[in-house]
Amino acid sequence: MSSYHLDHLQYLETEAIHIMREVAAEFERPALMFSGGKDSICLLRLAEKAFRPSDIPMPFLNVDTGHHFPELNEFRDRRAAQLGGRLIVRKVEDAIKAGIAVPTPGEISRNSLQIPTLLAAIEEFRFDCCIGGARRDEEKARAKERFFSYRDSFGQWDPKNQRPEIWNLYNARVNPGEHMRVFPLSNWTEMDVWQYIDREKLEVPTIYFSHKRTCLRRQGQWLPATEFVPRKDGEETRELVVRVRTIGDIISTGMVESPADSVDDIIAEIAAARVTERGSRADDKASEAAMEDRKKQGYF
């Protein structure tokens, strides 16, 4: 070793691995949220580095709205199987049938219905901690998060009731019924995520790379034209070469016109971008505080 100094990716990796191990040491029943998106892909790699050659000591949890991209679900299932992990999928459709989630009349998106579905899964398996891939650079409400984000017995987040984190000391105590959301990637940026994917040679779903897709123009952005997003009168439809920067469900994920068909191309594109990745998510445009309102109810 020629130098003991860490580069920025090594520092972020070391910090995240430390937090992963803190979770394993402090909590009895943690879970790792895994959707198959780029952030959760990095989380799985960090978990491998934190715990191998032992098994990853927590199951993988995903809330499926029923409106996910097929490519994403295929990748999620395959990657979990490769790691020999236990994948728990809880579906919004099942939560609706059980009366756990109640759709708003006339609303197609199931984004808000993920909240009761997730909270029901946490209660079902008595998870006392859920690890997520949220980053502070994504959105202003995310920037208020601590590494260890306390949730009360209703699963709610109060930005004024978070615990101080002095240096790398974390207060992980929770009472029965309460739980913690933990975000090891808090200090990462979108660029860091892709540089880490490049360095570790990690596979990602194909929809992150440019491909041809029929899209329709709605509220200033291109959405994938599917059975869940029917075309309205006067809306423009085109076949475009697009990719996604951030993946929600198929109804709320905006497509970005892009020729980027490799990780190197994506890194160069992000370096020149002046719009945050969440700028392409329709669910964040409902109001100025859309994300914070959902987080207060129990959203990630």
Side-chain angles (χ1 to χ4, degrees):
M1 181 181 291
S2 59
S3 173
Y4 289 99
H5 294 287
L6 303 179
D7 64 31
H8 83 285
L9 280 184
Q10 290 171 323
Y11 175 82
L12 291 172
E13 178 187 71
T14 301
E15 179 182 62
I17 288 173
H18 169 70
I19 292 168
M20 286 269 197
R21 289 173 175 166
E22 281 288 301
V23 169
E26 294 288 344
F27 295 96
E28 294 182 12
R29 293 174 298 277
L32 192 155
M33 301 295 295
F34 180 59
S35 65
K38 65 183 187 303
D39 300 312
S40 60
I41 289 169
C42 289
L43 282 182
L44 283 197
R45 181 59 173 159
L46 293 165
E48 285 188 275
K49 291 195 173 188
F51 305 116
R52 291 301 195 205
S54 298
D55 293 335
I56 296 173
M58 56 196 73
F60 309 145
L61 175 63
N62 180 235
V63 175
D64 189 341
T65 64
H67 297 163
H68 282 186
F69 287 89
E71 303 96 321
L72 196 68
N73 281 355
E74 183 277 328
F75 180 88
R76 175 200 67 193
D77 297 343
R78 177 164 51 83
R79 186 70 181 120
Q82 287 172 350
L83 291 174
R86 178 191 176 197
L87 175 64
I88 299 170
V89 178
R90 286 297 174 264
K91 298 181 179 181
V92 168
E93 187 69 40
D94 294 337
I96 293 173
K97 291 178 181 177
I100 296 169
V102 180
T104 301
E107 186 175 2
I108 300 174
S109 174
R110 292 180 170 179
N111 193 285
S112 62
L113 301 181
Q114 293 178 86
I115 298 170
T117 309
L118 172 60
L119 295 179
I122 291 172
E123 183 178 359
E124 177 185 356
F125 294 98
R126 297 190 300 129
F127 291 133
D128 52 4
C129 176
C130 291
I131 300 175
R135 310 186 320 269
R136 293 189 180 116
D137 78 316
E138 290 181 90
E139 205 270 345
K140 55 194 174 186
R142 302 281 200 203
K144 298 180 181 180
E145 289 279 15
R146 307 283 171 88
F147 281 111
F148 281 58
S149 180
Y150 166 76
R151 303 300 171 107
D152 64 21
S153 58
F154 296 100
Q156 296 175 330
W157 174 69
D158 181 358
K160 297 179 181 179
N161 187 27
Q162 297 299 304
R163 298 167 179 177
E165 294 181 344
I166 304 170
W167 298 293
N168 60 349
L169 301 176
Y170 308 107
N171 183 350
R173 295 181 181 177
V174 290
N175 295 315
E178 301 171 345
H179 69 278
M180 202 74 73
R181 308 280 176 89
V182 173
F183 304 109
L185 305 185
S186 289
N187 287 337
W188 296 44
T189 65
E190 182 185 12
M191 178 68 83
D192 295 329
V193 168
W194 282 107
Q195 288 179 335
Y196 192 72
I197 288 170
D198 182 47
R199 195 188 77 176
E200 298 294 314
K201 307 304 178 189
L202 300 177
E203 182 187 0
V204 297
T206 55
I207 53 176
Y208 278 114
F209 302 111
S210 65
H211 58 282
K212 286 187 178 180
R213 188 180 291 266
T214 302
C215 303
L216 60 86
R217 192 72 173 171
R218 181 175 295 174
Q219 295 181 343
Q221 61 182 346
W222 292 106
L223 296 177
T226 70
E227 59 182 312
F228 305 118
V229 189
R231 180 178 177 274
K232 298 178 181 178
D233 291 340
E235 287 185 330
E236 180 183 5
T237 302
R238 288 189 197 174
E239 186 175 81
L240 302 171
V241 176
V242 294
R243 72 177 193 89
V244 297
R245 285 181 68 184
T246 178
I247 305 176
D249 65 25
I250 207 164
I251 291 174
S252 61
T253 300
M255 312 302 293
V256 179
E257 293 185 77
S258 168
D261 59 2
S262 69
V263 173
D264 287 339
D265 288 345
I266 291 174
I267 290 172
E269 186 175 271
I270 294 170
R274 292 296 176 266
V275 178
T276 176
E277 63 186 293
R278 297 288 303 199
S280 61
R281 289 284 287 273
D283 48 326
D284 288 348
K285 298 179 184 296
S287 71
E288 283 292 318
M291 171 65 79
E292 184 161 332
D293 291 341
R294 293 201 306 275
K295 286 178 66 63
K296 287 178 179 178
Q297 297 173 45
Y299 188 75
F300 251 89

